[in-house]
Amino acid sequence: MKKYLYPSLLVVFGLMAAAIFFFKKPEHRLPELKARRGDLAAGGEWLNTKSAIEGLLAKLRTDPTDQKSRLLLAQAYMQEARVTGDHPYYDGAAMEMLEEVLQKEPENFEALCCKASLCLTQHHFAQGLGIAEQAQKINPNSGFVYGLLTDANVEMGHYDEAVKMADKMNAIRPDLAAYARASYLREIYGDMPGAIVAMDMAAKAGYIGLEQTEWTRVALGHLYEVSGDTAHAHAYYMMALLARPGYAYALAGLGRMAAARKDYPKAIKLYQQARFTVKDYAFSDELTDLYRLNGQPDEAKKMADESIGMLANAAKEADDNEQMGHYADRELAYAYLKTNELDKALEHAKIEYARRPDNIDVNETMAWVLYKRSQFAEAQKYMQVARRTGSKNPVLLCRAGLILSKLGKAAEGQALIENSLKTAPYLNPELEAEGKKMLAAR
């Protein structure tokens, strides 16, 4: 009997060990913090960020059930995405952690707000709106949630509702974020002086040097830029750069100011600095135009291909994953126009339009792609929607003027083109050349 007992026990112990091995819950791997580079790695902010995030990671390794630390880490990674531009990594990491929190606490208000914010960042606007509305039902007294509802309604083209949400946000807690949203809505409705006042209030409400504060200062500079006041625009970009050395979006603003003076080598250098610091396809896109203007077609093609590659990868990820991946079809439409791939431009413009047909920017994109395809009557249908809020953006007005001119409405079209070129011709060099050509043909 004993000779059979020991082998049987060995088999039992073997099966138990195998069961422990196969059914043991794998240790959850936490997404790590990446090292910053360039100017972003200088100064105390990076040291403080590293210290805070490493502390949260340590807490979660000790206690994986610490949902408060998991939520704080998700928020820290969302901010790191803003600072570095590495949205694919940090947004994905943050969303993964938020889903874990919400699995345990489905009505966690902060987690829902963060998830809605991530959806908006990734251009999943309809989903972001739905989640923000869910959060608002849980806590209808939060200014932050009304900011999310403002953003989501703007992107979906529900501008009247966006105004209501922004008003509620400002009534509950008037601060940097609330003033910035009021500014953006005033710009949409063509009130540029009012937009400048509100964005100035936003910049003054923030702490000097913080990313959010300098973002609003750059936005203020851009409002002056589209109003044709390059002196004020340059001053605010410089202020942002002094307060936050190496800030990529301030460098890009200064690059546009250099391009406005036709100092293309300096503009290229500034954009190269911005591109090295932060991952943003827009820098490659702007460099495409600058290299062409500077007589460097090979470099222009390289930047155009890079821009399309970044956007296409993001769009593919979004198609494969309902929750994450940056929808970039509107941006791809413009990128393909630069490479004269008109069929692809129209394909992506239509995809974006199907998602949010009421948004004025999406309608402007459809109009401009159709204009480039010489479908002028069809283009005008979309342009009428794009102009329904009374926006005074010079690029929009010039495009509208060109479409009207092609439809035989010369006086109305030329007036719009003249107004645009008088205000800020440097905003779009290709459009400036086309507008001047149209006016010269009178």
Side-chain angles (χ1 to χ4, degrees):
M1 182 75 179
K2 285 185 178 179
K3 70 177 182 178
Y4 297 109
L5 180 61
Y6 291 115
S8 299
L9 286 172
L10 287 172
V11 170
V12 171
F13 284 128
L15 290 171
M16 288 174 65
I20 291 170
F21 177 78
F22 284 109
F23 295 104
K24 179 184 177 184
K25 189 174 181 180
E27 184 179 345
H28 183 71
R29 186 187 64 81
L30 291 166
E32 297 292 333
L33 176 67
K34 288 185 176 183
R36 292 186 187 179
R37 63 180 185 174
D39 289 317
L40 292 178
E45 181 188 274
W46 173 230
L47 294 175
N48 292 335
T49 298
K50 277 201 300 183
S51 176
I53 289 176
E54 285 167 2
L56 291 169
L57 287 167
K59 284 184 178 181
L60 284 166
R61 291 189 190 103
T62 303
D63 180 9
T65 66
D66 183 355
Q67 301 305 334
K68 180 61 177 176
S69 291
R70 182 168 278 107
L71 177 57
L72 289 171
L73 184 59
Q75 292 170 335
Y77 279 170
M78 288 169 66
Q79 179 60 22
E80 197 63 12
R82 275 182 61 101
V83 171
T84 65
D86 193 355
H87 287 280
Y89 177 76
Y90 284 117
D91 286 354
M95 183 65 84
E96 179 184 329
M97 289 183 283
L98 291 172
E99 290 293 1
E100 289 188 52
V101 173
L102 289 168
Q103 188 175 6
K104 302 291 184 183
E105 304 170 14
E107 294 199 347
N108 186 308
F109 174 74
E110 287 186 72
L112 285 170
C113 285
C114 288
K115 184 176 179 180
S117 181
L118 275 178
C119 288
L120 297 179
T121 299
Q122 294 289 319
H123 289 193
H124 294 232
F125 299 122
Q127 185 181 5
L129 177 58
I131 296 169
E133 288 173 338
Q134 182 183 347
Q136 188 263 343
K137 289 175 184 176
I138 295 169
N139 182 1
N141 299 312
S142 164
F144 183 73
V145 77
Y146 288 110
L148 294 172
L149 288 167
T150 301
D151 297 341
N153 278 294
V154 163
E155 297 298 348
M156 294 303 294
H158 309 156
Y159 300 107
D160 290 344
E161 186 65 18
V163 170
K164 292 177 186 176
M165 296 300 101
D167 286 346
K168 285 188 177 181
M169 184 184 190
N170 275 276
I172 292 170
R173 186 175 178 179
D175 59 5
L176 180 151
Y179 297 141
R181 285 173 170 89
S183 173
Y184 186 43
L185 283 164
R186 289 176 183 181
E187 182 186 2
I188 285 171
Y189 279 96
D191 180 9
M192 292 303 291
I196 287 171
V197 168
M199 195 62 78
D200 183 54
M201 291 170 68
K204 289 174 178 174
Y207 292 99
I208 293 174
L210 287 183
E211 191 275 336
Q212 291 91 333
T213 305
E214 302 319 317
W215 182 91
T216 61
R217 211 179 307 280
V218 167
L220 178 56
H222 186 65
L223 288 172
Y224 278 112
E225 188 179 338
V226 297
S227 301
D229 188 343
T230 55
H232 271 96
H234 184 273
Y236 280 107
Y237 295 144
M238 282 300 301
M239 286 170 65
L241 196 60
L242 288 170
R244 191 174 178 84
Y247 189 42
Y249 297 100
L251 289 169
L254 291 172
R256 287 193 301 275
M257 295 298 90
R261 302 190 302 271
K262 303 195 184 302
D263 187 351
Y264 302 125
K266 183 174 182 179
I268 288 168
K269 183 178 179 181
L270 287 163
Y271 266 101
Q272 285 173 334
Q273 286 180 255
R275 176 171 161 266
F276 174 78
T277 306
V278 170
K279 297 178 180 180
D280 191 326
Y281 88 94
F283 298 146
S284 301
D285 183 64
E286 293 280 358
L287 278 166
T288 300
D289 292 332
L290 290 170
Y291 279 125
R292 283 176 179 165
L293 291 165
N294 203 44
Q296 297 174 264
D298 292 342
E299 288 297 319
K301 184 181 185 307
K302 179 181 173 183
M303 287 297 102
D305 291 343
E306 179 180 292
S307 181
I308 288 173
M310 290 174 71
L311 292 168
N313 288 338
K316 184 179 184 305
E317 184 184 353
D319 289 337
D320 295 341
N321 185 342
E322 282 187 13
Q323 286 208 140
M324 292 301 296
H326 189 286
Y327 282 136
D329 292 287
R330 177 172 170 262
E331 295 86 350
L332 271 168
Y334 283 119
Y336 279 123
L337 285 181
K338 290 190 178 183
T339 57
N340 203 35
E341 296 175 83
L342 302 185
D343 289 343
K344 288 184 178 179
L346 182 60
E347 174 191 345
H348 287 283
K350 284 182 174 179
I351 291 171
E352 192 69 50
Y353 182 80
R355 289 194 194 106
R356 44 195 188 122
D358 296 324
N359 180 275
I360 59 173
D361 296 324
V362 174
N363 277 275
E364 179 185 0
T365 304
M366 279 293 297
W368 192 239
V369 170
L370 290 165
Y371 172 86
K372 287 292 187 179
R373 295 170 63 87
S374 299
Q375 296 172 248
F376 306 122
E378 191 71 11
Q380 176 59 7
K381 294 177 184 177
Y382 292 99
M383 185 54 76
Q384 285 177 324
V385 179
R387 295 185 63 199
R388 79 178 193 272
T389 60
S391 171
K392 292 183 173 60
N393 184 286
V395 172
L396 171 68
L397 296 183
C398 192
R399 286 173 174 158
L402 287 166
I403 291 169
L404 287 168
S405 297
K406 289 291 187 180
L407 290 172
K409 299 181 180 181
E412 186 180 355
Q414 287 167 3
L416 288 172
I417 296 169
E418 286 176 343
N419 182 35
S420 170
L421 296 183
K422 181 181 177 181
T423 303
Y426 48 82
L427 286 174
N428 188 313
E430 180 190 10
L431 200 57
E432 177 190 5
E434 197 157 353
K436 287 180 176 178
K437 183 179 177 181
M438 183 71 74
L439 292 177
R442 286 184 294 187

